[in-house]
Amino acid sequence: MKTAFKKYGRKDNSDLCELMLLNDSGMEVKILNYGATLEKVLLSGDDLILSLNSPADYSKERNFLGGTVGRICGRVYQGKWQLGANILQLLQNDGENHIHGGIGLDMQVWNFKLYAGSQVARADLTLVDPDGNNGYPGNLKLHAIYELDNDNNLRYELIAVSDKMTIFNPANHTYFTLGEKAKDLKMQLNADYYLPVGEDGLPNQGMKSVDQTAFDFRKVKKIGEALNSSDKQIKLRNGLDHPFILNGNQPAATLIGENHQMTMTTNAPAIVTYTANHFNHTGVANNIGQYDGITLEAQCPPSENSDLGEITLLPFEKFDRKICWSFK
């Protein structure tokens, strides 16, 4: 197992670095300390995730590719958190709603250290997000871990603690491709229910059964089948852009391509899927088009209203999100 890093720039008086984890099987993982971002997953000559043309591109234009997005990754209805008679107003940066934490964790430069042992190679990234940043209460200390082993398992863990009651629902925002286009991949999800959404992308009907819908991935099927369906929800969002409620069976998700496969386990209650619907070969992401990748964002599902009890973090309560992506 080996680790290395190289500096490629400066931002906010901090060094921008690309970190490398390499296992004895030849798999290589590249991580940026900008946004605790998963930049590349290289196996047998293929990059298995969507990546920009260069590390420097990630900080030029917000794109969420591989980023640790938060404090809240999804949308918050009208940007409001209501707790009893108290209402906290967050930035309304998506119409009337709040999304992606404002100027979020994926846009900050994290500190890091590397570890290489006989069985694992690891990158530890840390950040303190100050009280009041983007309107969120509490000094929040974060620790993101990427750990690669010799069996091609890549573990991602995000640990956080706040000194005040706050709301917190981050997600890793990697787009998976397995070296192909996501629309051509097959997928299986251990989810019996999904959440339909409105025009603003927020859930508005409660849970619906996936049975006999385009959202039924309980058995392996091609993602393109859902994208090409006449389902009103698919048409509304121009693809998959929906939370799936996990039923607790593992793995939570499986992606299957011609040459590679990825299985994902997580302790999150839901996965929000998004099939890169908005990409159109412009800007810094000029190498990426619609349906080229799919995100499997492990998080709590977005709420239909301002009751955010599920994502409320008490003072000094430990948040601990775990994900394992296994590649072959």
Side-chain angles (χ1 to χ4, degrees):
M1 307 293 287
K2 295 180 181 178
T3 59
F5 74 92
K6 62 181 180 181
K7 175 183 171 180
Y8 64 87
R10 291 272 292 175
K11 182 177 173 60
D12 301 331
N13 298 316
S14 299
D15 291 326
L16 294 172
C17 296
E18 181 182 53
L19 323 178
M20 282 80 80
L21 310 179
L22 182 67
N23 71 11
D24 297 335
S25 305
M27 181 173 169
E28 184 176 10
V29 172
K30 295 187 177 183
I31 300 147
L32 305 181
N33 70 327
Y34 178 74
T37 295
L38 182 58
E39 183 204 0
K40 291 180 182 291
V41 175
L42 303 169
L43 182 62
S44 303
D46 296 318
D47 187 0
L48 306 188
I49 67 174
L50 286 184
S51 305
L52 295 182
N53 295 311
S54 74
D57 287 338
Y58 284 78
S59 57
K60 290 178 181 176
E61 180 182 292
R62 197 178 191 189
N63 52 75
F64 309 108
L65 290 169
T68 295
V69 182
R71 297 189 185 188
I72 293 176
C73 182
R75 294 173 175 86
V76 177
Y77 175 70
Q78 295 184 349
K80 296 182 188 298
W81 172 32
Q82 184 162 3
L83 188 66
N86 299 316
I87 294 178
L88 175 72
Q89 182 66 59
L90 296 171
L91 176 69
Q92 292 169 291
N93 60 342
D94 184 48
E96 293 186 347
N97 303 317
H98 175 80
I99 194 171
H100 294 331
I103 302 173
L105 306 176
D106 60 301
M107 302 174 74
Q108 299 188 52
V109 183
W110 297 51
N111 297 308
F112 71 91
K113 64 179 180 180
L114 298 173
Y115 167 80
S118 60
Q119 301 300 317
V120 297
R122 186 175 69 240
D124 290 271
L125 300 106
T126 56
L127 178 74
V128 175
D129 194 46
D131 180 29
N133 197 25
N134 290 297
Y136 289 93
N139 294 294
L140 186 73
K141 186 173 184 180
L142 300 118
H143 178 194
I145 304 162
Y146 289 94
E147 185 177 86
L148 176 66
D149 67 21
N150 278 321
D151 294 319
N152 294 346
N153 298 308
L154 177 60
R155 295 177 180 85
Y156 171 85
E157 186 172 7
L158 184 63
I159 300 165
V161 177
S162 171
D163 62 358
K164 291 182 181 178
M165 184 183 292
T166 193
I167 42 179
F168 191 54
N169 190 26
N172 180 282
H173 211 279
T174 297
Y175 287 85
F176 295 95
T177 69
L178 303 190
E180 303 174 44
K181 294 185 183 299
K183 64 182 180 181
D184 298 323
L185 301 177
K186 295 177 180 177
M187 182 167 72
Q188 190 266 332
L189 298 174
N190 267 315
D192 304 307
Y193 294 91
Y194 79 105
L195 297 180
V197 300
E199 290 187 2
D200 63 357
L202 274 167
N204 63 356
Q205 303 174 40
M207 293 191 301
K208 297 287 187 181
S209 172
V210 300
D211 191 41
Q212 296 184 344
T213 73
F215 297 89
D216 192 351
F217 285 95
R218 291 174 296 180
K219 294 183 179 179
V220 173
K221 79 173 184 185
K222 201 171 182 178
I223 293 172
E225 284 187 40
L227 299 179
N228 295 327
S229 77
S230 58
D231 189 285
K232 291 181 179 178
Q233 283 285 309
I234 298 291
K235 298 293 186 184
L236 178 68
R237 303 305 296 170
N238 295 315
L240 286 171
D241 187 12
H242 297 81
F244 286 79
I245 308 303
L246 297 174
N247 61 25
N249 295 303
Q250 299 287 359
T254 302
L255 291 176
I256 301 169
E258 288 292 328
N259 300 312
H260 299 285
Q261 179 173 320
M262 187 275 286
T263 56
M264 172 181 172
T265 61
T266 181
N267 64 351
I271 286 176
V272 176
T273 61
Y274 181 63
T275 43
N277 307 338
H278 73 284
F279 284 96
N280 60 359
H281 296 285
T282 59
V284 295
N286 57 30
N287 60 320
I288 298 172
Q290 189 179 51
Y291 309 145
D292 281 358
I294 181 170
T295 62
L296 301 170
E297 303 165 39
Q299 59 180 286
C300 294
S303 174
E304 293 186 22
N305 52 46
S306 300
D307 178 6
L308 305 180
E310 187 175 13
I311 63 169
T312 296
L313 197 62
L314 298 175
F316 304 107
E317 177 186 4
K318 181 181 178 182
F319 174 94
D320 193 356
R321 174 71 69 238
K322 292 183 170 73
I323 302 170
C324 180
W325 302 296
S326 299
F327 296 92
K328 62 182 182 180

